[in-house]
């Protein structure tokens, strides 16, 4: 009798698990279909209003001067033996100083950390990377090359190539997601973790599946699962979507923020207008669902979480929940009026808060390598 009950219980568990998996993927594909219909309607409306301009775009051949600004640092390259990929990064500050590594989000590249490169190069060896598939870094073909474990290993390989065993890790958006995971899996390599507008990975997945409002805000995740069509939509009206993300009233930098200059915008347009420049970044999203839901993992490093109050993509309720997964000192700062693009929106406030966090528990002149 006991054996029969055990078999029934195991069968029930397996069936329940399969139903949950089927339900999860049904939700993914339903959201994908729904958001695709919305995008198609927007495309149709654009064609009706401006039929000629809709399908015009330009590949920028000359980078704007700001991308070669020597005050930001030196352009360098590293080829990782294990993966064979070449990564581009911009570095400043003396090589013997502690490493501060910056990981950008979507759709960004190393340039999004320009304000922090200037600020922290006096006390650190600051390095802002073009992550796998972005900018001048290699773009491996196929979504299977953008697994989360590969992205995390990239960070480990880069830190070690630079000659360090530990770093102060700073990440925003997708870079924040990778930074969280790196701190979870390689706690011995992270002195302190600083994340901007990205909740703990487990919080994000659990919260999104339980809150329809966040599911709606994350609907672009589902649209990006399609092949080629999202890349095409970004080219509409000469990459208007890229500019819109950073400058519109709903998603862009706020009125009180540090507005992007025309040259800053040109830098983004230059990078993402290059042939194939959007496929690598979009493959981060296309591969994300293969690893959901994530295990509940704790972070052992001290953590600073900075959050722009006007984030149009992520709900603020996830911020406090992230505290539950941190088993060390945790500091949270919510910046009023700031957008999702926090380090570009309010660089002075962000830099001050980072300095305060860095000085907690250790003097500014005595950082650990």
């Amino acid at each position: 009798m006991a054996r029969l009950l055990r078999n029934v219980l195991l069968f029930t568990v397996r069936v329940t698990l399969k139903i949950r998996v089927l339900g999860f993927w049904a939700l993914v594909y339903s959201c994908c279909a729904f958001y695709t219909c919305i995008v198609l309607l927007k495309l149709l409306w654009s064609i009706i209003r401006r039929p000629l301009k809709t399908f015009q775009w330009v590949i920028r051949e000359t980078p704007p001067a700001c991308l070669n600004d020597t005050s930001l640092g030196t352009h360098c390259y590293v080829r990782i033996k294990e993966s064979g990929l070449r990564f581009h990064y911009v570095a400043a500050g003396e090589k013997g100083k502690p490493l501060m590594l910056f990981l950008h989000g979507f759709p960004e590249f190393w340039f999004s950390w320009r304000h922090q490169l200037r600020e922290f190069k006096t006390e650190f060896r600051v390095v802002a990377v073009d992550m796998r598939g972005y900018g001048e870094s290699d773009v491996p073909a196929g979504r299977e090359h953008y697994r989360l474990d590969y992205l995390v290993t990239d960070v480990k390989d880069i830190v070690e190539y630079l000659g360090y065993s530990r770093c102060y890790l700073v990440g925003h958006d997708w870079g924040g997601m990778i930074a969280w995971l790196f701190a979870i899996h390689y706690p011995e390599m992270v002195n302190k973790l600083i994340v901007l507008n990205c909740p703990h990975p487990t919080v994000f997945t659990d919260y999104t599946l339980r809150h329809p409002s966040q599911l709606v805000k994350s609907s672009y995740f589902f649209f990006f699962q399609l092949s080629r069509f999202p890349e095409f939509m970004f080219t509409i009206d000469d990459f208007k979507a890229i500019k819109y993300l950073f400058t519109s009233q709903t998603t862009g930098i706020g009125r009180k923020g540090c507005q992007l200059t025309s040259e800053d915008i040109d830098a983004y347009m230059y990078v993402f207008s290059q042939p194939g420049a959007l496929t690598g970044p979009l493959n981060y999203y296309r591969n994300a669902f293969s690893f959901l839901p994530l295990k509940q993992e704790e972070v052992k490093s001290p953590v600073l979480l900075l959050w722009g109050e006007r984030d149009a993509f992520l709900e603020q309720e996830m911020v406090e929940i992230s505290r539950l997964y941190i088993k060390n000192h945790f500091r949270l700062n919510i910046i009023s009026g700031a957008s999702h693009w926090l380090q570009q929106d309010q660089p002075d406030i962000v830099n001050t808060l980072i300095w305060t966090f860095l000085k907690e528990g250790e003097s500014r002149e005595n950082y650990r390598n």
Side-chain angles (χ1 to χ4, degrees), residues 92-152:
E94 296 180 14
K95 291 185 178 181
K97 292 181 177 179
L99 174 64
M100 181 177 285
L101 185 64
F102 296 94
L103 308 177
H104 63 78
F106 173 90
E108 297 174 296
F109 63 113
W110 73 264
F111 186 68
S112 68
W113 298 109
R114 58 195 177 281
H115 302 292
Q116 288 68 45
L117 289 171
R118 290 193 183 99
E119 176 70 19
F120 295 100
K121 67 181 180 180
T122 58
E123 300 292 338
F124 292 88
R125 176 65 171 171
V126 289
V127 173
V129 182
D130 274 342
M131 297 178 67
R132 177 185 293 229
Y134 280 87
E136 295 185 51
S137 291
D138 280 350
V139 184
R143 68 180 66 186
E144 68 274 9
H145 295 289
Y146 297 85
R147 288 170 36 176
L148 287 174
D149 54 340
Y150 290 168
L151 302 176
V152 171

Side-chain angles (χ1 to χ4, degrees), residues 180-242:
W180 279 114
L181 293 172
F182 184 80
I184 290 169
H185 293 289
Y186 298 100
E188 73 282 358
M189 297 186 70
V190 180
N191 286 329
K192 290 189 174 183
L193 175 64
I194 301 165
V195 178
L196 290 74
N197 282 77
C198 179
H200 186 283
T202 301
V203 173
F204 175 71
T205 54
D206 289 350
Y207 185 91
T208 301
L209 291 174
R210 296 175 182 177
H211 293 80
S213 55
Q214 179 58 53
L215 194 63
V216 171
K217 289 185 177 181
S218 300
S219 55
Y220 58 92
F221 262 79
F222 307 105
F223 173 62
F224 290 165
Q225 301 308 304
L226 300 177
S227 297
R228 299 183 181 180
F229 187 51
E231 285 94 327
F232 168 73
M233 287 303 301
F234 271 103
T235 67
I236 293 299
D237 200 359
D238 195 23
F239 299 91
K240 182 179 179 180
I242 298 290

